[in-house]
Amino acid sequence: MFIWRALLQLPENHTAFSSLVDKGVHVAFLNLQRKYPIKSRKLLRVLQRTLSALAHWSAIFGDTPYLPLLAFPFVKLFQNNQLICFEVVATLIINWCQHWFEYFPNPPINILGMVENVLAFHDKALLQHFMDRGITSQLYAWPLLETLFSEVLTREEWLKLFDNVFSNHPSFLLMTVVAYNVCSRAPLLHCDRKDDFEYFFHHRNNLDISVVIREVYHLMDTTPADIHPEKMLDAFVALTKGQYPVFNQYPKFIVDYQTQERERIRNDELDYLRERQTVENMQAEVDQQRVEDEAWYQKQELLRKAEETRREMLLQEEEKMIQQRQRLAAVKRELRVREMHLQDAARRRFLKLQQDQREMELRRLDDEIERKIHMRDREIATTAKDLEMRHLELESQKRLYEKNLTRNQETVAKEIRDDIDAYRRKVDLEERSFLRLMETDQTQNRNTQKLIEENLAKAEQACLNTDWRIQALHKQRRDDLQRNGCYREMAKLLQENRRKEVEVLNAMMGKETEKWQEAEEKDFQLKSEKKASALSDASRKWFLEKETQDALGQAEQPRGKGSLNQRGKRGDSTELDLLERVRSLRQRLAAQARSRCQAPRLLAT
């Protein structure tokens, strides 16, 4: 390819070629793929662009039917360099296609006459055979020229041939046509039908291209000058640089006439297509209107039948609905009776449960009271025994003191008696305070217990009422879900009732919330009363301790030496034991009270 570019002296006019390419695809080659289908889309695009550039360069090429056959081998060879491809084809047309377009749109009779004269000089028998069979140069020479031997040669043979064509005078191509026929005279002489000749010159044959080329050189040397094509063809002329030369070697009036005629035919065809499209649109509209009318009538008939069917179905559904309403009323009555029985049984069972619980609580309280009374009696008996023992001890001490203090003065005896009386009064006061404390504690415990029982009963009653209502609500919802599939038509009538039921349930839930809030408030009030009772117990405890301390302070005052000190020590130990027992008893009672206060909290949780 590089050698070809040098032999053909290509100018490589990039700007001029770009201006031709920028004009776009020529109208003559818009549907090139229909007439010349090519598998490779890239190759088809390059061929279309090259042919369009040639048509924009000269108007004759837009009407040349064999131009794609002539340019295709070079397009396939130079498909990656479109500029070189265009200039090679243009150089070939200017030099090797001289006088081809003088008889356009007919084949070049003058060129074919040259080929026939050379063939008549070198092989008269073959030419006579062609003439006898009615075969003209348009059949044995023109197919080879318009395809540039690309149909009868392989790629390597074609390249080998054009190495020689581009290296010689433009008449070498015409001599090649004569040489091809002369070298193929044996099979051609055996052909009798026109179809055989057409097939021969359009397909590859068993022919050595080297022999043909040697025959061409032989013909170039042995052909007389008067019939030699070199005499009638100009020498090689390269393309001009910068701009391509003007190519007008064709009958312009014929091309213009063909262009005008083609334009007229195209306009007539466009008018015909527009009229046919209008007629087709009108026919389509008429057909569509007829189809729509038929569809409308059919739809009306179907709607009438559907309406009758729906009316019958509606009557049947109304009859079914009446029967379902009757069954529903019977089921509702039965459900109301069963619900009343269930409510009555639940009420009786609940009352019996409440009665059993109250009896159990009373028995438990009786047991607790008996246990407390027994414990109190035991503690009182123990305290009485301790007091008796203390009294006996005091009596023995008294007798001992009387024996030892017979010699003391009456004032001392009087002081001793006063001390003993004060001590007895103190003991009586402590016993009365302790008894009052125990009675107050028991009274408070009973009140607290009673209040706890009342609150517990209320909370249990609220829980039972809420459970019963929730169960009733769940039952109503299950019944609604079961009836939903069968009574969809009744849904609109039951929506208002359901809304009212929801309002009643919301009211019940609000009431329940209020009850629980009330229960919480009472629980808070109970805690406040417990705190007040605890403060009261603390004040009483403080009062008793203060009185005890005052009494102990009076008992510790010095009455003398010796026996008085011994008596004071014994009295202090006895009083301390008594105080410890009182404190332990108070602690036990406070623990029991705390356990009783915690019981309702656990039940509420």
Side-chain angles (χ1 to χ4, degrees):
M1 289 184 288
F2 178 76
I3 296 174
W4 285 10
R5 291 167 63 180
L7 288 174
L8 300 177
Q9 302 176 17
L10 301 181
E12 298 185 13
N13 299 324
H14 292 276
T15 305
F17 177 72
S18 299
S19 64
L20 294 175
V21 172
D22 292 340
K23 293 181 180 179
V25 179
H26 196 271
V27 67
F29 303 107
L30 289 175
N31 298 321
L32 181 65
Q33 67 275 10
R34 295 181 182 178
K35 192 174 182 180
Y36 300 99
I38 301 175
K39 293 183 179 179
S40 175
R41 297 192 62 84
K42 177 184 177 182
L43 191 59
L44 176 63
R45 189 164 55 251
V46 174
L47 177 61
Q48 189 177 37
R49 191 172 298 173
T50 303
L51 295 177
S52 299
L54 290 170
H56 291 307
W57 175 42
S58 181
I60 185 65
F61 298 127
D63 298 324
T64 305
Y66 55 86
L67 185 64
L69 298 175
L70 186 141
F72 180 74
F74 299 99
V75 170
K76 191 173 182 180
L77 189 64
F78 295 98
Q79 58 180 324
N80 294 324
N81 195 335
Q82 300 178 29
L83 172 63
I84 301 301
C85 177
F86 171 79
E87 292 185 350
V88 168
V89 175
T91 304
L92 177 71
I93 291 172
I94 292 175
N95 294 279
W96 281 269
C97 298
Q98 297 180 37
H99 309 292
W100 279 29
F101 306 99
E102 292 179 358
Y103 295 92
F104 185 83
N106 299 317
I109 306 299
N110 52 349
I111 300 297
L112 297 179
M114 296 179 193
V115 174
E116 188 173 356
N117 292 333
V118 176
L119 180 61
F121 178 79
H122 291 284
D123 198 341
K124 293 181 180 179
L126 180 59
L127 179 60
Q128 187 63 39
H129 178 71
F130 287 153
M131 294 172 62
D132 294 340
R133 301 297 184 271
I135 305 302
T136 63
S137 58
Q138 295 184 11
L139 185 59
Y140 67 80
W142 181 238
L144 300 177
L145 290 174
E146 67 178 356
T147 60
L148 296 179
F149 295 88
S150 61
E151 289 183 348
V152 297
L153 298 178
T154 63
R155 173 184 171 87
E156 297 299 328
E157 292 175 346
W158 186 85
L159 292 173
K160 190 174 183 180
L161 172 62
F162 270 84
D163 284 342
N164 292 273
V165 170
F166 289 152
S167 302
N168 289 277
H169 192 270
S171 60
F172 189 88
L173 182 62
L174 302 181
M175 289 297 186
T176 305
V177 175
V178 177
Y180 188 84
N181 283 273
V182 171
C183 294
S184 303
R185 68 187 311 275
L188 289 174
L189 292 174
H190 286 85
C191 294
D192 295 331
R193 295 183 304 172
K194 185 178 181 180
D195 295 340
D196 297 337
F197 288 101
E198 290 179 354
Y199 183 84
F200 183 86
F201 290 105
H202 285 282
H203 293 82
R204 295 175 184 176
N205 302 293
N206 187 13
L207 187 63
D208 188 1
I209 192 63
S210 299
V211 176
V212 175
I213 294 173
R214 285 197 297 270
E215 184 63 24
V216 173
Y217 282 108
H218 175 70
L219 295 177
M220 291 285 289
D221 295 335
T222 59
T223 302
D226 55 346
I227 62 173
H228 200 293
E230 186 177 2
K231 178 182 177 182
M232 303 175 187
L233 298 178
D234 298 332
F236 173 80
V237 178
L239 295 176
T240 59
K241 289 185 175 295
Q243 295 292 333
Y244 295 115
V246 177
F247 185 82
N248 55 1
Q249 300 175 9
Y250 59 88
K252 191 172 183 303
F253 69 95
I254 295 176
V255 175
D256 295 340
Y257 173 76
Q258 286 187 350
T259 303
Q260 294 174 2
E261 191 66 20
R262 190 180 297 105
E263 187 67 24
R264 184 185 62 79
I265 294 172
R266 185 181 294 110
N267 293 331
D268 293 342
E269 185 177 0
L270 291 175
D271 294 337
Y272 168 73
L273 290 175
R274 282 196 295 270
E275 291 178 359
R276 189 176 67 178
Q277 184 66 28
T278 303
V279 173
E280 289 178 355
N281 292 336
M282 292 176 64
Q283 185 65 31
E285 290 178 359
V286 171
D287 295 339
Q288 184 178 2
Q289 185 67 30
R290 184 175 63 255
V291 171
E292 289 178 356
D293 293 341
E294 292 177 358
W296 185 81
Y297 285 120
Q298 292 178 1
K299 188 174 181 181
Q300 292 298 321
E301 184 66 20
L302 293 174
L303 289 174
R304 185 183 61 79
K305 293 181 180 179
E307 185 178 1
E308 293 177 358
T309 305
R310 298 296 189 280
R311 286 179 180 175
E312 294 176 358
M313 292 174 62
L314 184 61
L315 292 175
Q316 294 176 2
E317 291 295 331
E318 287 179 355
E319 186 66 24
K320 290 180 181 179
M321 187 178 294
I322 292 171
Q323 295 176 2
Q324 289 177 358
R325 285 178 179 175
Q326 292 176 358
R327 289 196 295 270
L328 179 62
V331 171
K332 282 184 177 180
R333 288 193 296 270
E334 184 179 355
L335 288 174
R336 287 196 186 97
V337 173
R338 290 177 61 186
E339 186 176 359
M340 291 174 63
H341 289 311
L342 290 173
Q343 288 179 356
D344 192 12
R347 184 179 59 80
R348 290 196 298 270
R349 186 167 60 252
F350 176 68
L351 292 175
K352 187 176 181 305
L353 179 63
Q354 281 187 340
Q355 186 177 0
D356 294 341
Q357 288 180 351
R358 289 177 181 177
E359 290 177 356
M360 184 176 65
E361 289 292 331
L362 289 174
R363 287 196 297 271
R364 188 175 64 81
L365 290 174
D366 292 338
D367 295 339
E368 187 70 20
I369 290 171
E370 291 179 359
R371 187 175 64 82
K372 292 292 183 182
I373 292 172
H374 181 67
M375 290 177 62
R376 185 190 63 185
D377 294 339
R378 288 181 59 187
E379 290 177 356
I380 291 173
T382 302
T383 305
K385 288 180 181 181
D386 292 339
L387 291 174
E388 289 178 358
M389 290 296 295
R390 177 63 179 167
H391 183 70
L392 292 174
E393 290 177 357
L394 291 174
E395 288 293 333
S396 63
Q397 289 178 3
K398 179 182 176 182
R399 287 192 295 270
L400 181 63
Y401 291 156
E402 286 177 354
K403 289 179 180 180
N404 292 328
L405 297 175
T406 52
R407 293 175 295 179
N408 290 340
Q409 298 177 358
E410 292 180 357
T411 56
V412 175
K414 186 177 179 180
E415 289 178 357
I416 291 172
R417 286 195 298 272
D418 293 336
D419 291 338
I420 291 172
D421 292 337
Y423 177 71
R424 288 179 179 176
R425 286 194 299 273
K426 183 186 69 172
V427 170
D428 292 337
L429 181 61
E430 288 178 356
E431 288 180 355
R432 286 194 298 273
S433 300
F434 180 69
L435 291 175
R436 283 196 304 273
L437 177 62
M438 291 180 63
E439 290 175 358
T440 303
D441 190 17
Q442 290 177 358
T443 303
Q444 184 179 2
N445 289 336
R446 283 195 296 272
N447 293 333
T448 304
Q449 196 171 28
K450 191 178 297 183
L451 182 60
I452 291 170
E453 290 174 356
E454 291 177 358
N455 293 331
L456 180 61
K458 288 180 182 179
E460 290 177 353
Q461 182 66 29
C463 292
L464 291 172
N465 292 335
T466 305
D467 292 336
W468 176 77
R469 288 168 182 167
I470 291 172
Q471 291 176 2
L473 180 59
H474 288 172
K475 184 176 180 182
Q476 289 177 3
R477 288 181 178 175
R478 286 196 299 271
D479 293 339
D480 291 339
L481 291 174
Q482 291 175 358
R483 292 193 299 272
N484 188 27
C486 300
Y487 309 122
R488 289 184 179 179
E489 296 293 334
M490 301 175 63
K492 294 181 180 179
L493 299 176
L494 295 176
Q495 285 179 356
E496 187 65 24
N497 294 332
R498 289 179 182 174
R499 184 179 61 80
K500 292 181 180 180
E501 290 178 0
V502 170
E503 291 178 358
V504 172
L505 290 175
N506 291 332
M508 294 171 65
M509 293 175 67
K511 192 67 177 176
E512 181 183 356
T513 305
E514 292 177 0
K515 290 296 183 182
W516 279 113
Q517 291 178 356
E518 185 178 357
E520 292 178 356
E521 291 176 358
K522 289 183 178 180
D523 188 12
F524 179 74
Q525 184 178 1
L526 177 61
K527 292 179 180 179
S528 300
E529 291 179 358
K530 286 181 180 179
K531 289 181 180 179
S533 177
L535 292 174
S536 179
D537 293 340
S539 63
R540 285 195 298 271
K541 180 179 178 181
W542 176 78
F543 177 75
L544 290 174
E545 290 179 354
K546 182 178 179 182
E547 292 295 330
T548 304
Q549 289 177 0
D550 293 339
L552 290 174
Q554 292 178 1
E556 289 177 356
Q557 290 179 359
R559 300 293 183 182
K561 296 181 180 179
S563 61
L564 290 176
N565 292 334
Q566 186 178 2
R567 186 190 67 180
K569 290 180 181 180
R570 290 182 180 179
D572 293 341
S573 62
T574 303
E575 290 171 358
L576 290 174
D577 292 337
L578 181 60
L579 287 174
E580 288 296 330
R581 291 179 181 178
V582 170
R583 290 175 183 173
S584 63
L585 180 60
R586 289 176 179 173
Q587 292 176 357
R588 289 170 59 189
L589 292 175
Q592 291 176 1
R594 283 194 301 272
S595 64
R596 290 175 184 175
C597 292
Q598 290 176 357
R601 297 180 183 175
L602 295 174
L603 290 173
T605 305

